[in-house]
Amino acid sequence: MLELDLDFSIDRLGECRVPSPMTGVRFVGDDERVLYASTLKELKTARDADGPAVMEAAGPRAHLYFEPSSLACGIVTCGGLSPGMNDVIRAVVLSLTHHYGVKKIFGFRFGYEGLVQRYGHAPRELTSDNVSRIHENGGSVLGSSRGHQQPAEMVQTLRSYRIGVLFAIGGDGTLRGAQKIGEEAARQGLRVSVVGIPKTIDNDVSFVQKTFGFETAVSEGRRAIDAAFVEATAARNGIGLVKLMGRDSGFIAAYAVLAGGHADFCLIPEVSFSLHGFLKALERRIERSGHAVVVAAEGAGQNLIAPTGERDVSGNIKHADVGGFLRKAIAEHFERAGIAVNLKYIDPGYTIRSVPATAHDSAFCVLLGQSAVHAGMSGRTNMVVSFWNHQLAHVPIPLAVSERKKIDAQAILWDSVVASTRQPRDMR
Ligand code: F6P
């Protein structure tokens, strides 16, 4: 099951000689670790040469690499929106300002474009005053964009603004870009720490148990499913079809289905099905209950639909529209079967992404933002902050982007979804 060569060691720019200005906190020792394993079985298998596989614990260090009073920091948000981006920006700015007394913080605009001078996006100076209420709104006050930029051009910008720590809020493409920035800076002899805060509403980053915004997405997804249920039960042979985000991983769909308990089918990218198998099961459900709710993650059933052959600028495969496909297939199937149904289709994708974070997600963003700041101030680099085994920890970027985290169809989450929907386990 587990890779035995897990290397969680974190790169560092150099020795930490500057005493931290923080007072009244418990400093985290450099030898404090978070266990990778969470079960005895894993503990026996996930080991390295020195013992069980472990991650560095996140948190404030007694000594820093950077002298805060002369440090400038940058923040950039990349990729698709996710609830909580503003909360993370705010947490980073407040922690840099209040914990450390950093005076120069630049917010680079529209993702990595903001680090390339020829785009002409001037950075915004961020202060505790101008970020104080940004978490009340969704989106990112810095703007975001997808796509790669040349590391040398981005490092040039970091050089001009004398940036010592760059905080990159984004998904796997962003984190790969962050790694390249760090490598290019090192090649040029520039001491820049690059710290990622993993962002993907899909919750599909490896070695990260939960990304910020995911919990909000589940709450909003549940609302859409509830609406589909109301519609479906208010009509004779009503069918509510909901498409939720989830390009390669169906976590939002699975958790939203469990939360509401109203869905009769949950279709996710990790579990393949045949159109015939699904439609027959849906027909049986309609015959038995007189209504049905179907939840499909956007990456579900892609083997049944003609591929678009397109990629977005981040390099992600652009999936064909499973919602439109199922809507048509369901309508045609019941028409052929001579059964009148009332089908309502709901696609709340961008509505979900753009809302402010829920309270718990917001609090989580604060913990992540502060952990990222502590890591950056201590000169750690090429890493992300992660929530793992109910602890905040450091994970090297190469591990975080090694593969996309997916639902294990043989494990408890999927078993619970199947039990909740009572859909056939095998619809192939
Ligand atoms: O960030 C992940 C995600 O929300 C996916 O679920 C979705 O496929 C994609 O982004 C859509 O992003 P956009 O339309 O902004 O490119």
Side-chain angles (χ1 to χ4, degrees):
M1 58 164 216
L2 275 179
E3 319 85 292
L4 297 180
D5 58 348
L6 293 171
D7 181 3
F8 287 110
S9 46
I10 300 294
D11 295 343
R12 296 174 66 167
L13 294 178
E15 226 178 292
C16 289
R17 296 208 181 92
V18 182
S20 171
M22 288 181 77
T23 52
V25 287
R26 188 187 80 81
F27 290 114
V28 172
D30 274 346
D31 56 350
E32 291 189 38
R33 295 289 183 269
V34 172
L35 274 179
Y36 171 79
S38 56
T39 63
L40 188 57
K41 191 171 166 199
E42 279 178 351
L43 191 62
K44 286 178 180 159
T45 20
R47 306 179 74 78
D48 63 21
D50 303 324
V54 286
M55 301 171 173
E56 259 189 26
R61 270 36 189 194
H63 288 88
L64 313 177
Y65 177 76
F66 291 104
E67 169 57 56
S69 58
S70 55
L71 177 68
C73 294
I75 308 177
V76 64
T77 54
C78 308
L81 296 182
S82 190
M85 288 165 96
N86 283 335
D87 301 66
V88 175
I89 296 168
R90 178 175 177 272
V92 169
V93 173
L94 295 185
S95 177
L96 285 170
T97 310
H98 299 315
H99 286 147
Y100 293 102
V102 172
K103 295 203 172 53
K104 282 268 171 223
I105 308 166
F106 295 98
F108 293 100
R109 310 295 316 279
F110 304 113
Y112 284 144
E113 280 186 13
L115 284 165
V116 176
Q117 286 176 6
R118 66 194 152 79
Y119 284 100
H121 306 312
R124 210 179 135 184
E125 257 201 71
L126 300 173
T127 63
S128 51
D129 279 346
N130 67 22
V131 301
S132 69
R133 298 193 62 173
I134 60 174
H135 60 314
E136 293 169 14
N137 295 313
S140 162
V141 287
L142 300 179
S144 189
S145 71
R146 288 193 183 278
H148 311 288
Q149 302 295 339
Q150 287 305 320
E153 285 184 285
M154 295 195 278
V155 170
Q156 178 55 44
T157 305
L158 297 181
R159 195 185 273 283
S160 2
Y161 286 91
R162 299 175 183 279
I163 301 294
V165 187
L166 177 68
F167 299 95
I169 304 169
D172 53 358
T174 309
L175 299 175
R176 283 196 188 93
Q179 182 177 352
K180 290 200 180 114
I181 292 172
E183 285 164 1
E184 177 60 21
R187 199 186 63 76
Q188 296 185 20
L190 207 61
R191 294 296 185 173
V192 178
S193 149
V194 185
V195 178
I197 298 130
K199 172 218 57 89
T200 153
I201 202 169
D202 294 351
N203 194 30
D204 59 0
V205 180
S206 287
F207 304 101
V208 174
Q209 255 159 7
K210 185 178 72 160
T211 46
F212 72 84
F214 171 66
E215 195 173 292
T216 308
V218 171
S219 303
E220 292 294 312
R222 175 201 171 147
R223 271 157 41 93
I225 298 171
D226 288 350
F229 177 69
V230 171
E231 288 287 348
T233 47
R236 191 165 58 82
N237 289 346
I239 299 176
L241 170 63
V242 181
K243 181 172 103 170
L244 295 176
M245 280 192 173
R247 192 193 287 120
D248 301 298
S249 311
F251 289 104
I252 300 177
Y255 277 96
V257 158
L258 283 184
H262 291 319
D264 302 286
F265 294 90
C266 180
L267 308 174
I268 59 169
E270 294 91 333
V271 178
S272 57
F273 58 94
S274 76
L275 197 54
H276 176 76
F278 162 64
L279 291 170
K280 277 314 238 185
L282 178 60
E283 189 182 319
R284 280 196 297 275
R285 188 60 59 97
I286 286 290
E287 278 167 3
R288 200 167 62 232
S289 320
H291 60 82
V293 173
V294 180
V295 177
E298 61 177 324
Q302 290 300 313
N303 56 322
L304 309 173
I305 321 173
T308 64
E310 293 171 32
R311 287 181 182 267
D312 67 16
V313 282
S314 308
N316 301 304
I317 292 174
K318 274 195 176 179
H319 285 324
D321 176 17
V322 67
F325 170 78
L326 288 175
R327 180 189 201 173
K328 186 162 174 283
I330 292 169
E332 286 174 356
H333 172 82
F334 283 98
E335 196 177 325
R336 264 197 313 272
I339 304 169
V341 293
N342 198 318
L343 175 61
K344 297 286 190 294
Y345 174 47
I346 301 177
D347 176 357
Y350 292 106
T351 316
I352 288 178
R353 270 196 351 186
S354 58
V355 299
T358 57
H360 193 267
D361 240 338
S362 283
F364 184 45
C365 290
V366 173
L367 294 172
L368 290 173
Q370 291 182 351
S371 300
V373 168
H374 299 318
M377 294 305 295
S378 69
R380 283 167 170 80
T381 189
N382 196 23
M383 57 149 278
V384 298
V385 286
S386 165
F387 183 64
W388 192 263
N389 260 341
H390 284 272
Q391 307 290 325
L392 290 152
H394 299 161
V395 169
I397 288 181
L399 278 185
V401 302
S402 53
E403 59 180 353
R404 288 210 165 118
K405 188 176 72 183
K406 290 182 189 269
I407 291 180
D408 179 353
Q410 309 305 326
I412 187 166
L413 173 60
W414 187 244
D415 286 347
S416 300
V417 170
V418 171
S420 166
T421 57
R422 294 189 290 139
Q423 69 195 62
R425 181 170 269 282
D426 189 350
M427 293 191 287
R428 279 172 298 172

Coordinates of all heavy atoms in Angstrom, one line a residue, residues 146-200:
R146 N -4.8 31.2 -14.3 CA -4.2 29.9 -14.5 C -3.0 30.1 -15.4 O -2.9 31.1 -16.1 CB -5.2 29.0 -15.2 CG -6.3 28.5 -14.3 CD -7.0 27.4 -15.0 NE -8.2 27.0 -14.1 CZ -8.1 26.1 -13.1 NH1 -6.9 25.7 -12.7 NH2 -9.2 25.8 -12.4
G147 N -2.1 29.1 -15.4 CA -1.1 29.1 -16.4 C 0.3 29.4 -15.8 O 0.5 29.9 -14.7
H148 N 1.3 28.9 -16.6 CA 2.7 28.9 -16.2 C 3.3 30.2 -16.7 O 2.9 30.8 -17.6 CB 3.5 27.8 -16.8 CG 2.8 26.5 -16.6 ND1 2.7 25.9 -15.4 CD2 2.1 25.7 -17.5 CE1 2.0 24.7 -15.5 NE2 1.6 24.6 -16.8
Q149 N 4.3 30.7 -16.0 CA 5.1 31.8 -16.4 C 6.6 31.4 -16.3 O 6.9 30.5 -15.6 CB 4.8 33.1 -15.6 CG 3.4 33.5 -15.6 CD 2.9 33.9 -16.9 OE1 3.6 34.3 -17.8 NE2 1.5 33.9 -17.1
Q150 N 7.4 32.2 -17.0 CA 8.9 31.8 -17.0 C 9.5 32.1 -15.6 O 9.4 33.3 -15.1 CB 9.6 32.7 -18.0 CG 9.4 32.2 -19.4 CD 9.7 30.8 -19.6 OE1 10.7 30.3 -19.1 NE2 8.9 30.1 -20.4
P151 N 10.1 31.1 -15.0 CA 10.7 31.3 -13.6 C 11.6 32.5 -13.6 O 11.6 33.3 -12.7 CB 11.4 30.0 -13.3 CG 10.7 29.0 -14.2 CD 10.2 29.7 -15.4
A152 N 12.4 32.7 -14.7 CA 13.5 33.8 -14.6 C 12.8 35.1 -14.6 O 13.2 36.0 -13.9 CB 14.3 33.7 -15.9
E153 N 11.7 35.3 -15.3 CA 11.0 36.6 -15.3 C 10.4 36.8 -13.9 O 10.3 37.9 -13.4 CB 9.9 36.6 -16.3 CG 10.4 36.7 -17.8 CD 9.2 36.8 -18.8 OE1 8.6 35.7 -19.0 OE2 8.9 37.9 -19.3
M154 N 9.8 35.7 -13.3 CA 9.2 35.9 -12.0 C 10.2 36.2 -10.9 O 10.0 37.1 -10.1 CB 8.4 34.6 -11.6 CG 7.2 34.4 -12.6 SD 6.1 33.2 -11.9 CE 6.9 31.6 -12.4
V155 N 11.4 35.6 -11.0 CA 12.5 35.9 -10.1 C 13.0 37.3 -10.2 O 13.3 38.0 -9.2 CB 13.6 34.8 -10.2 CG1 14.8 35.2 -9.4 CG2 13.1 33.4 -9.7
Q156 N 13.0 37.8 -11.5 CA 13.4 39.2 -11.7 C 12.5 40.1 -10.9 O 12.9 41.1 -10.3 CB 13.2 39.4 -13.2 CG 13.6 40.9 -13.6 CD 15.0 41.3 -13.2 OE1 15.9 40.5 -13.3 NE2 15.1 42.5 -12.6
T157 N 11.2 39.8 -10.9 CA 10.2 40.7 -10.1 C 10.5 40.5 -8.6 O 10.5 41.5 -7.9 CB 8.8 40.3 -10.4 OG1 8.6 40.3 -11.8 CG2 7.8 41.1 -9.7
L158 N 10.8 39.3 -8.2 CA 11.0 39.1 -6.7 C 12.3 39.9 -6.4 O 12.4 40.5 -5.3 CB 11.3 37.6 -6.4 CG 10.0 36.7 -6.6 CD1 10.4 35.3 -6.3 CD2 8.8 37.2 -5.8
R159 N 13.2 39.9 -7.3 CA 14.5 40.7 -7.0 C 14.2 42.2 -6.9 O 14.6 42.8 -6.0 CB 15.4 40.4 -8.2 CG 16.9 40.8 -7.9 CD 17.7 40.6 -9.2 NE 18.2 39.2 -9.3 CZ 19.3 38.8 -8.7 NH1 19.9 39.5 -7.8 NH2 19.7 37.5 -8.9
S160 N 13.4 42.7 -7.9 CA 13.1 44.1 -7.8 C 12.4 44.6 -6.6 O 12.6 45.7 -6.1 CB 12.3 44.7 -9.0 OG 12.0 43.7 -9.9
Y161 N 11.5 43.7 -6.1 CA 10.8 44.1 -4.8 C 11.5 43.6 -3.6 O 11.0 43.7 -2.5 CB 9.3 43.6 -4.9 CG 8.5 44.4 -5.9 CD1 8.4 44.0 -7.2 CD2 7.9 45.6 -5.5 CE1 7.7 44.7 -8.1 CE2 7.1 46.3 -6.4 CZ 7.0 45.9 -7.7 OH 6.3 46.6 -8.6
R162 N 12.7 43.0 -3.8 CA 13.5 42.5 -2.6 C 12.7 41.5 -1.8 O 12.7 41.6 -0.5 CB 14.0 43.6 -1.8 CG 14.9 44.6 -2.5 CD 15.2 45.8 -1.6 NE 16.0 46.7 -2.4 CZ 17.3 46.6 -2.6 NH1 18.0 45.6 -2.2 NH2 17.9 47.6 -3.3
I163 N 11.9 40.6 -2.5 CA 11.1 39.7 -1.7 C 12.0 38.6 -1.1 O 12.8 37.9 -1.8 CB 10.1 39.0 -2.7 CG1 9.1 40.1 -3.3 CG2 9.2 38.0 -1.9 CD1 8.2 40.8 -2.4
G164 N 11.8 38.3 0.2 CA 12.5 37.2 0.8 C 11.6 36.0 1.0 O 12.1 34.8 0.9
V165 N 10.3 36.2 1.2 CA 9.4 35.0 1.3 C 8.3 35.2 0.3 O 7.6 36.3 0.4 CB 8.9 34.8 2.7 CG1 8.1 33.5 2.8 CG2 10.0 34.8 3.8
L166 N 8.0 34.2 -0.5 CA 6.8 34.3 -1.4 C 5.8 33.2 -0.9 O 6.2 32.0 -0.8 CB 7.2 34.0 -2.8 CG 6.1 34.0 -3.8 CD1 5.4 35.4 -4.0 CD2 6.5 33.5 -5.2
F167 N 4.6 33.6 -0.7 CA 3.6 32.7 -0.3 C 2.7 32.5 -1.5 O 2.1 33.4 -2.1 CB 2.7 33.3 0.8 CG 3.5 33.5 2.1 CD1 4.0 34.8 2.4 CD2 3.7 32.5 3.0 CE1 4.8 35.0 3.5 CE2 4.5 32.7 4.1 CZ 5.0 34.0 4.4
A168 N 2.6 31.2 -2.0 CA 1.9 30.9 -3.2 C 0.6 30.1 -2.8 O 0.8 29.0 -2.2 CB 2.8 30.1 -4.1
I169 N -0.5 30.7 -3.0 CA -1.8 30.0 -2.7 C -2.3 29.4 -4.0 O -2.7 30.1 -4.9 CB -2.8 31.0 -2.1 CG1 -2.1 31.7 -0.9 CG2 -4.1 30.4 -1.7 CD1 -2.9 32.9 -0.3
G170 N -2.3 28.1 -4.1 CA -2.8 27.5 -5.3 C -2.7 26.0 -5.3 O -2.3 25.4 -4.3
G171 N -3.1 25.4 -6.4 CA -3.1 23.9 -6.5 C -1.8 23.4 -7.1 O -0.8 24.0 -7.0
D172 N -1.9 22.2 -7.6 CA -0.7 21.5 -8.0 C 0.1 22.2 -9.0 O 1.4 22.3 -9.0 CB -0.9 20.0 -8.4 CG -1.9 19.8 -9.4 OD1 -2.6 20.8 -9.9 OD2 -2.2 18.7 -9.8
G173 N -0.5 22.9 -10.0 CA 0.2 23.6 -11.0 C 0.9 24.8 -10.4 O 2.1 25.1 -10.7
T174 N 0.2 25.5 -9.5 CA 0.8 26.6 -8.8 C 2.0 26.2 -8.0 O 3.1 26.8 -7.9 CB -0.2 27.2 -7.8 OG1 -1.4 27.4 -8.5 CG2 0.3 28.5 -7.1
L175 N 1.9 25.0 -7.3 CA 3.0 24.5 -6.4 C 4.2 24.1 -7.3 O 5.3 24.4 -6.9 CB 2.4 23.4 -5.6 CG 1.3 23.8 -4.6 CD1 0.7 22.6 -3.9 CD2 1.7 24.9 -3.7
R176 N 3.9 23.5 -8.4 CA 5.1 23.2 -9.3 C 5.8 24.5 -9.7 O 7.0 24.6 -9.8 CB 4.6 22.4 -10.6 CG 4.3 21.0 -10.3 CD 4.1 20.2 -11.5 NE 3.7 18.9 -11.1 CZ 2.4 18.5 -11.1 NH1 1.4 19.3 -11.6 NH2 2.0 17.3 -10.7
G177 N 4.9 25.5 -10.0 CA 5.5 26.8 -10.4 C 6.3 27.4 -9.3 O 7.4 27.9 -9.5
A178 N 5.8 27.2 -8.0 CA 6.5 27.7 -6.9 C 7.9 27.1 -6.7 O 8.9 27.7 -6.4 CB 5.6 27.5 -5.6
Q179 N 7.9 25.7 -7.0 CA 9.1 25.0 -6.9 C 10.1 25.5 -7.9 O 11.3 25.7 -7.6 CB 8.8 23.5 -7.1 CG 10.1 22.7 -7.0 CD 9.8 21.2 -7.2 OE1 8.7 20.7 -7.2 NE2 10.9 20.4 -7.3
K180 N 9.7 25.8 -9.1 CA 10.6 26.3 -10.1 C 11.1 27.7 -9.8 O 12.2 28.0 -10.0 CB 9.8 26.4 -11.5 CG 9.6 25.0 -12.0 CD 9.3 25.1 -13.5 CE 9.0 23.7 -14.0 NZ 7.7 23.5 -14.5
I181 N 10.2 28.5 -9.2 CA 10.7 29.9 -8.7 C 11.8 29.7 -7.7 O 12.9 30.4 -7.8 CB 9.5 30.7 -8.1 CG1 8.5 31.0 -9.2 CG2 10.0 31.9 -7.4 CD1 7.2 31.6 -8.6
G182 N 11.6 28.8 -6.7 CA 12.6 28.6 -5.7 C 13.9 28.1 -6.3 O 15.0 28.5 -5.9
E183 N 13.8 27.2 -7.3 CA 15.0 26.6 -7.9 C 15.8 27.7 -8.7 O 17.0 27.8 -8.7 CB 14.6 25.5 -8.9 CG 14.3 24.2 -8.1 CD 13.5 23.2 -9.0 OE1 13.3 23.4 -10.2 OE2 13.2 22.1 -8.4
E184 N 15.0 28.5 -9.4 CA 15.6 29.6 -10.2 C 16.3 30.6 -9.3 O 17.4 31.1 -9.6 CB 14.5 30.3 -11.1 CG 15.0 31.4 -12.0 CD 16.2 31.1 -12.9 OE1 16.3 29.9 -13.3 OE2 16.9 32.0 -13.3
A185 N 15.6 31.0 -8.2 CA 16.1 31.9 -7.3 C 17.5 31.4 -6.7 O 18.5 32.1 -6.7 CB 15.2 32.2 -6.1
A186 N 17.5 30.1 -6.4 CA 18.7 29.5 -5.8 C 19.8 29.5 -6.9 O 20.9 29.8 -6.5 CB 18.4 28.1 -5.4
R187 N 19.4 29.2 -8.1 CA 20.4 29.2 -9.2 C 21.1 30.6 -9.3 O 22.2 30.7 -9.6 CB 19.7 28.8 -10.5 CG 20.6 28.3 -11.6 CD 19.9 28.1 -12.9 NE 19.3 29.3 -13.4 CZ 20.0 30.2 -14.1 NH1 21.3 30.1 -14.3 NH2 19.3 31.3 -14.5
Q188 N 20.2 31.6 -9.1 CA 20.8 33.0 -9.2 C 21.4 33.5 -7.9 O 21.8 34.6 -7.8 CB 19.6 33.9 -9.6 CG 19.1 33.7 -10.9 CD 18.0 34.8 -11.3 OE1 18.0 35.8 -10.8 NE2 17.2 34.4 -12.3
G189 N 21.4 32.6 -6.9 CA 22.0 33.0 -5.6 C 21.2 33.9 -4.8 O 21.7 34.6 -3.9
L190 N 19.9 33.9 -5.1 CA 18.9 34.8 -4.3 C 18.3 34.0 -3.2 O 17.8 32.9 -3.4 CB 17.9 35.2 -5.3 CG 17.2 36.5 -5.1 CD1 18.2 37.7 -5.1 CD2 16.1 36.7 -6.2
R191 N 18.3 34.5 -2.0 CA 17.8 33.8 -0.9 C 16.3 34.1 -0.8 O 15.8 35.0 -0.2 CB 18.5 34.3 0.4 CG 19.9 33.9 0.5 CD 20.0 32.5 0.5 NE 21.4 31.9 0.7 CZ 21.6 30.7 0.9 NH1 20.7 29.8 0.9 NH2 22.9 30.3 1.0
V192 N 15.5 33.2 -1.4 CA 14.0 33.4 -1.4 C 13.4 32.1 -0.9 O 13.7 31.0 -1.4 CB 13.5 33.7 -2.8 CG1 11.9 33.8 -2.7 CG2 14.0 35.0 -3.3
S193 N 12.6 32.2 0.1 CA 11.8 31.1 0.6 C 10.5 31.1 -0.1 O 9.8 32.1 -0.2 CB 11.7 31.2 2.1 OG 10.5 30.6 2.5
V194 N 10.1 29.9 -0.6 CA 8.8 29.8 -1.3 C 7.9 28.8 -0.5 O 8.3 27.6 -0.4 CB 9.0 29.3 -2.7 CG1 7.7 29.3 -3.5 CG2 10.0 30.2 -3.5
V195 N 6.8 29.3 0.0 CA 6.0 28.5 0.8 C 4.6 28.4 0.2 O 4.0 29.5 -0.1 CB 5.9 29.0 2.3 CG1 4.9 28.2 3.1 CG2 7.2 29.1 2.9
G196 N 4.1 27.2 0.0 CA 2.7 27.0 -0.6 C 1.7 26.8 0.4 O 1.9 26.2 1.5
I197 N 0.5 27.3 0.1 CA -0.7 27.0 0.9 C -1.6 26.3 -0.1 O -2.2 27.0 -1.0 CB -1.4 28.3 1.5 CG1 -0.4 28.9 2.5 CG2 -2.6 27.9 2.3 CD1 -0.2 30.4 2.3
P198 N -1.8 25.0 0.0 CA -2.5 24.3 -1.0 C -4.0 24.7 -1.1 O -4.7 24.8 -0.1 CB -2.4 22.8 -0.6 CG -1.6 22.8 0.7 CD -1.3 24.2 1.1
K199 N -4.4 25.0 -2.3 CA -5.7 25.4 -2.6 C -6.3 24.6 -3.7 O -5.8 24.7 -4.8 CB -5.7 26.9 -3.0 CG -7.1 27.4 -3.4 CD -7.0 28.4 -4.6 CE -6.3 27.9 -5.7 NZ -7.1 27.2 -6.8
T200 N -7.3 23.8 -3.4 CA -8.1 23.3 -4.5 C -9.4 22.9 -3.8 O -9.5 22.2 -2.8 CB -7.5 22.0 -5.1 OG1 -8.6 21.2 -5.6 CG2 -6.7 21.2 -4.2

